[in-house]
Amino acid sequence: MARKHKILLWLTFSAFLPAIIFLAVVFGFWFQLNTPEQEILLNLLKPLKTYLILSLFTFLFILGFVAKKMFSDYFIPLQKLIEDAEVMKNSPQKTSISSSGAKTIQQIAGLFADFAIQKKDLQENVNKKITEANINLEKEKNILASLISELQEGVLICNIEGQILLYNKRVQQYLSSQEDETGSFQRLTGIGRSVFKSISKEVIVHALDEIQHKIEHKDDHFSSQLVLPLPSGTLARMHVVPVLGKNETMTGFIIIMYDVSEQLEHDIQRYEMIQALVRGTRSSAANIRAAIESVISYKDMDSGQLSLFHNVINDEASSLTEHLNSTIEKYKKYFSLNWPLENISANSLLRLTKRKLADLKENQIEILNADEHLWLKVENFSFINMILFLIHQLNEHEINDSLKLNISKAENFNYFDILWSGKRISQEKFDLIINEQIAIAGLNFPYTVLEIIDRHNGRIWLKAEEGNQEGGIRILLKPGFVTDENNQWGSNVSFENRPEFYDFDLFSQRANSQKWEDIDLSSLKFVVFDTETTGLDPANGDEIISIGAVRIVNNKILSGEQYEQLIDPQRKLPKAASEITGITSDMLKGQPTIDKVLPLFHGYAEETILVAHNAAFDMRFLQLKENQLNLRFENPVLDTLLLSAFIHPHQESHSLDTLAKRFELTNIGRHTALGDAIVTAEVFIKLIDLLKEKGISTLGQALEASQKTYYARIKY
């Protein structure tokens, strides 16, 4: 029986208790009289029968009215006041409270609101002082996160159980599986996830065993080297180092990843080149040697035979030269010494060059803005000094007016141009400049311009067109990695609102052999999700058109590990569904179907607790696809609707909008799957605190509490 109905029954009984007592007294008095006395009393009351009955009903009506009034003006408002006060206690931003009911109740509500405002002001002052005290620490933390995030190497930190505590963008790229049929990459990396999903456990255990052996034998370097392919297809050299606690006990490990795919390709090609040279030169060299030995051994050889041997030597030498030339041409890029080239944005390279020119007090040069998504691959110290040398040489040749620097994109290359108007420079002078050893501002390089260009695998030439008064030097370079608006690589680093790539609180968490039902809610990992559908009846053909989800680890929403996917329902999209969700038929064209998406979402939610608002609805859509796709969602499921109804049984509504308003949360992206999932996650974190106040701290207790509500009986 619902708590509200129990209270109503109790109030009704309390109101009618006086009437019951009165009737008991009357009947007791009646049975104390003898028969003649009873007859006399009846004769006296008989004329008043009508008035007595009316009086009785009036009395009962008054009692009922009083009971209802007490119920609506005192008991229910008091229960709502208690529930709102519980929310207010756990939500410092909430200062409003329901003020229905009797005037006294409204006055109490007003006092609660005043106390809440005072508490909020006090909390804000405390938070301000804490923020001021920790501002330097926060800056250092953000700088560290930024540095690690933007490293070219992959950095991955795990606790001893293999749970991921920190990772950077490069690791996210390396450990994402190759592009699947949905056109996206399956992400295997995430805070709290197991690294063994991406890297073989046997390989890491082998490395840790090697490190442990070195620790026990007091070696100088506690590390291990591995080379293995990663899910993205990258071949990586991995440097594994331990994180040591007290008494040199290993509490975790760090993996630094280097992409050696290109290096391996170079090594393979160089090996093939050497083999080709050996195979092609061995027979020719042997024939030449045999011919020469014959000529030396038989000095009296007649001219005809001598001429024959001369021809053999000449033919074999020509064949050898031809083979060497063809091999060099085929493998020419592997003959050059490759410098360690780094990616740098075109605009950054131009700004660095301009600053160096200002330091050297060279003439003012105009820098043309390049495409913000344009990147080059250079060793910037040698390259910038080469550009400074070229500009200095142009000034020496009295070309110092209207100089401009520009970087532009060709089909498969980038162009670095030094441009000017007016006076030309001859090809002979240009050849002398690029073959001269670089020396500028007291800095002598052991290379010429041409050698630096060669080491960048580039080309340089004098740019001059007939009838064009503009001269220039053009340098052709290899492009760096390509970026666009939707690509996170190479994006500017922001110290605020960064995605969560680390959580060192997990260092202290070890694998728990307990059943999930016995584990504290704060220690579990959750995937909070929502779906948008074509309608409300999955059993009769309605389909999912969008799934959105976020992860919660250590009571924190991981904004950097969101999941969102539109889905082609392979049926007509009703107008009503489009109006509610904002999703149109055109948006769904070309999107993957549910049989491609659901296995990916299943992997995303693996080994977590699923959370949704009105979860029975969303889970029904998923469960109807399980047999078709041969997968099972066996995760425990928590429902914020049921939990709210358990915590606040006297609230009239438990809709997501109402809960967001009650907890004073910003509800952005309502009726989008990801937007609703984020709001549901924020609500869920608030509910966890309220559950603990009611003695509900474990998953098993939360599941049991959910089943005690009326809403748990709703089926789809």
Side-chain angles (χ1 to χ4, degrees):
M1 185 181 293
R3 188 178 177 186
K4 183 175 179 180
H5 294 159
K6 288 181 180 179
I7 293 173
L8 181 60
L9 183 62
W10 182 83
L11 283 173
T12 304
F13 175 76
S14 299
F16 284 94
L17 183 61
I20 295 170
I21 294 172
F22 175 75
L23 289 173
V25 171
V26 169
F27 280 108
F29 175 74
W30 174 263
F31 288 114
Q32 289 291 326
L33 299 177
N34 54 37
T35 303
E37 289 173 337
Q38 290 177 351
E39 289 178 357
I40 293 170
L41 186 59
L42 283 174
N43 290 331
L44 289 172
L45 295 176
K46 194 171 184 180
L48 303 174
K49 179 175 63 175
T50 303
Y51 297 104
L52 288 174
I53 293 173
L54 287 175
S55 298
L56 179 61
F57 277 106
T58 301
F59 178 67
L60 292 175
F61 175 77
I62 292 171
L63 285 178
F65 177 79
V66 170
K68 183 179 182 302
K69 190 71 174 173
M70 290 289 292
F71 186 75
S72 61
D73 286 1
Y74 287 93
F75 287 94
I76 291 299
L78 273 174
Q79 290 296 325
K80 288 185 177 180
L81 185 62
I82 292 170
E83 291 171 358
D84 283 343
E86 289 175 345
V87 173
M88 186 180 289
K89 185 175 71 171
N90 292 283
S91 301
Q93 300 303 318
K94 184 175 177 63
T95 57
S96 60
I97 197 164
S98 63
S99 57
S100 60
K103 187 175 181 180
T104 306
I105 303 297
Q106 295 180 25
Q107 290 173 345
I108 295 173
L111 289 173
F112 272 119
D114 292 340
F115 285 137
I117 292 171
Q118 292 176 14
K119 178 190 172 187
K120 180 183 177 183
D121 292 340
L122 180 62
Q123 188 69 48
E124 286 178 350
N125 289 332
V126 172
N127 290 340
K128 184 178 179 181
K129 291 179 180 179
I130 293 173
T131 301
E132 290 173 354
N134 292 333
I135 190 166
N136 291 331
L137 180 62
E138 198 65 28
K139 282 183 179 178
E140 291 176 4
K141 183 180 74 173
N142 284 329
I143 290 171
L144 175 63
S146 301
L147 290 173
I148 292 176
S149 176
E150 302 305 318
L151 286 175
Q152 292 296 311
E153 296 81 15
V155 179
L156 180 69
I157 301 179
C158 302
N159 65 13
I160 198 63
E161 302 296 336
Q163 281 185 307
I164 296 173
L165 313 182
L166 176 148
Y167 63 95
N168 65 354
K169 292 180 181 178
R170 191 62 70 180
V171 167
Q172 199 173 34
Q173 181 189 39
Y174 288 162
L175 299 188
S176 294
S177 63
Q178 297 187 45
E179 195 168 8
D180 55 36
E181 296 178 7
T182 68
S184 61
F185 287 84
Q186 184 176 2
R187 181 180 294 174
L188 302 174
T189 313
I191 299 300
R193 291 187 185 275
S194 173
V195 70
F196 305 130
K197 297 289 183 183
S198 308
I199 304 173
S200 170
K201 184 174 182 177
E202 289 74 16
V203 172
I204 294 181
V205 168
H206 171 80
L208 296 181
D209 287 344
E210 179 185 347
I211 292 170
Q212 188 62 43
H213 178 79
K214 291 179 178 180
I215 293 173
E216 291 170 357
H217 289 79
K218 307 295 183 183
D219 284 6
D220 293 334
H221 303 290
F222 304 152
S223 64
S224 178
Q225 298 279 354
L226 304 168
V227 177
L228 72 159
L230 299 176
S232 62
T234 302
L235 183 70
R237 185 177 78 251
M238 301 199 302
H239 188 66
V240 185
V241 295
V243 177
L244 299 178
K246 293 181 180 179
N247 303 320
E248 293 192 336
T249 302
M250 206 177 341
T251 60
F253 54 92
I254 302 171
I255 302 177
I256 304 171
M257 304 178 184
Y258 307 87
D259 184 355
V260 294
S261 304
E262 187 173 346
Q263 178 186 335
L264 179 65
E265 178 64 23
H266 273 71
D267 291 344
I268 292 171
Q269 292 295 329
R270 288 190 183 202
Y271 176 78
E272 290 181 356
M273 175 186 70
I274 292 169
Q275 292 297 311
L277 287 172
V278 169
R279 287 193 301 270
T281 58
R282 182 176 291 162
S283 60
S284 295
N287 291 336
I288 291 172
R289 182 178 179 178
I292 292 173
E293 287 176 349
S294 298
V295 171
I296 293 173
S297 300
Y298 301 99
K299 295 180 180 179
D300 298 331
M301 188 181 299
D302 60 53
S303 59
Q305 288 180 319
L306 187 62
S307 176
L308 182 63
F309 280 110
H310 285 172
N311 289 335
V312 169
I313 294 171
N314 183 62
D315 291 342
E316 292 295 339
S318 298
S319 175
L320 182 59
T321 301
E322 183 180 347
H323 176 69
L324 285 172
N325 289 336
S326 64
T327 303
I328 290 171
E329 180 62 28
K330 181 178 180 180
Y331 296 100
K332 60 182 178 182
K333 68 178 180 179
Y334 301 105
F335 279 91
S336 62
L337 175 63
N338 290 313
W339 279 3
L341 306 182
E342 297 290 338
N343 290 300
I344 184 171
S345 72
N347 282 321
S348 294
L349 184 61
L350 290 172
R351 285 194 295 269
L352 284 171
T353 306
K354 184 177 181 179
R355 191 169 67 189
K356 289 290 185 181
L357 285 168
D359 293 341
L360 295 175
K361 296 182 173 55
E362 294 287 349
N363 290 342
Q364 189 66 30
I365 293 179
E366 182 181 357
I367 303 293
L368 303 180
N369 286 330
D371 184 344
E372 62 177 319
H373 304 300
L374 189 60
W375 289 67
L376 296 89
K377 204 164 189 177
V378 299
E379 195 288 299
N380 62 63
F381 178 75
S382 62
F383 187 85
I384 289 174
N385 279 283
M386 179 195 71
I387 298 298
L388 300 181
F389 174 76
L390 288 173
I391 291 173
H392 180 73
Q393 291 297 313
L394 291 174
N395 290 337
E396 290 288 318
H397 288 82
E398 298 181 354
I399 298 175
N400 49 26
D401 294 329
S402 304
L403 277 172
K404 301 176 184 177
L405 297 183
N406 183 46
I407 299 177
S408 57
K409 187 180 186 316
E411 185 175 351
N412 295 313
F413 301 97
N414 292 329
Y415 292 134
F416 189 111
D417 291 327
I418 306 174
L419 306 171
W420 65 86
S421 299
K423 190 172 181 179
R424 301 290 185 89
I425 185 173
S426 67
Q427 186 65 46
E428 290 76 17
K429 287 183 179 179
F430 177 70
D431 290 340
L432 289 174
I433 290 171
I434 63 175
N435 284 285
E436 182 180 342
Q437 185 171 313
I438 294 174
I440 184 168
L443 181 65
N444 295 313
F445 266 70
Y447 306 108
T448 66
V449 170
L450 204 55
E451 286 173 331
I452 289 177
I453 294 296
D454 284 343
R455 292 177 189 273
H456 281 79
N457 295 312
R459 298 289 183 271
I460 184 171
W461 64 89
L462 195 60
K463 181 183 176 186
E465 299 176 5
E466 290 295 330
N468 190 347
Q469 294 300 311
E470 188 176 76
I473 296 173
R474 169 157 284 184
I475 302 170
L476 180 146
L477 295 167
K478 294 171 66 175
F481 55 71
V482 180
T483 66
D484 56 40
E485 294 85 345
N486 299 317
N487 195 332
Q488 62 187 339
W489 301 103
S491 59
N492 291 331
V493 178
S494 170
F495 289 165
E496 298 180 3
N497 300 320
R498 295 182 58 80
E500 292 80 1
F501 288 123
Y502 62 93
D503 189 339
F504 290 122
D505 291 338
L506 295 174
F507 256 128
S508 60
Q509 290 190 14
R510 302 292 297 267
N512 200 323
S513 59
Q514 290 177 288
K515 292 182 179 180
W516 279 355
E517 288 81 358
D518 300 326
I519 299 177
D520 191 278
L521 288 169
S522 299
S523 301
L524 292 167
K525 303 174 187 68
F526 302 92
V527 164
V528 187
F529 77 103
D530 184 67
T531 62
E532 300 298 335
T533 64
T534 60
L536 306 177
D537 192 353
N540 289 316
D542 280 318
E543 297 285 349
I544 299 173
I545 56 174
S546 177
I547 296 180
V550 292
R551 296 182 71 233
I552 295 178
V553 176
N554 271 347
N555 263 14
K556 289 185 288 189
I557 299 172
L558 304 183
S559 58
E561 297 184 20
Q562 299 172 351
Y563 180 92
E564 186 176 26
Q565 180 65 58
L566 291 175
I567 302 168
D568 182 357
Q570 297 185 304
R571 55 156 288 176
K572 184 179 179 182
L573 181 64
K575 183 179 179 182
S578 184
E579 290 174 350
I580 293 171
T581 64
I583 298 173
T584 64
S585 298
D586 289 340
M587 293 168 64
L588 300 178
K589 287 180 181 176
Q591 296 294 338
T593 52
I594 192 69
D595 59 308
K596 304 296 191 304
V597 174
L598 212 52
L600 296 180
F601 177 69
H602 185 269
Y604 177 84
E606 191 175 11
E607 295 183 358
T608 65
I609 313 302
L610 288 176
V611 180
H613 190 79
N614 192 14
F617 175 79
D618 300 283
M619 289 304 300
R620 183 59 177 159
F621 276 89
L622 302 185
Q623 290 163 353
L624 286 175
K625 297 295 180 183
E626 288 181 337
N627 290 335
Q628 174 188 338
L629 303 179
N630 195 28
L631 53 81
R632 291 288 181 272
F633 284 92
E634 297 177 342
N635 316 54
V637 181
L638 287 175
D639 189 338
T640 50
L641 172 67
L642 302 185
L643 293 175
S644 175
F646 171 78
I647 295 169
H648 299 144
H650 298 95
Q651 299 297 328
E652 296 173 357
S653 174
H654 300 280
S655 69
L656 189 56
D657 289 325
T658 301
L659 293 181
K661 185 177 180 181
R662 186 178 303 160
F663 293 116
E664 298 192 353
L665 303 172
T666 303
N667 195 355
I668 299 174
R670 184 71 174 101
H671 289 305
T672 65
L674 181 58
D676 285 354
I678 291 172
V679 175
T680 303
E682 292 174 341
V683 166
F684 179 65
I685 289 174
K686 298 285 187 183
L687 292 176
I688 288 177
D689 294 333
L690 293 172
L691 284 169
K692 288 184 177 179
E693 291 187 3
K694 292 186 174 292
I696 308 296
S697 59
T698 67
L699 175 63
Q701 291 170 337
L703 290 170
E704 184 180 350
S706 299
Q707 298 306 311
K708 293 180 180 179
T709 68
Y710 164 78
Y711 295 95
R713 287 177 265 173
I714 298 175
K715 304 295 181 185
Y716 289 91

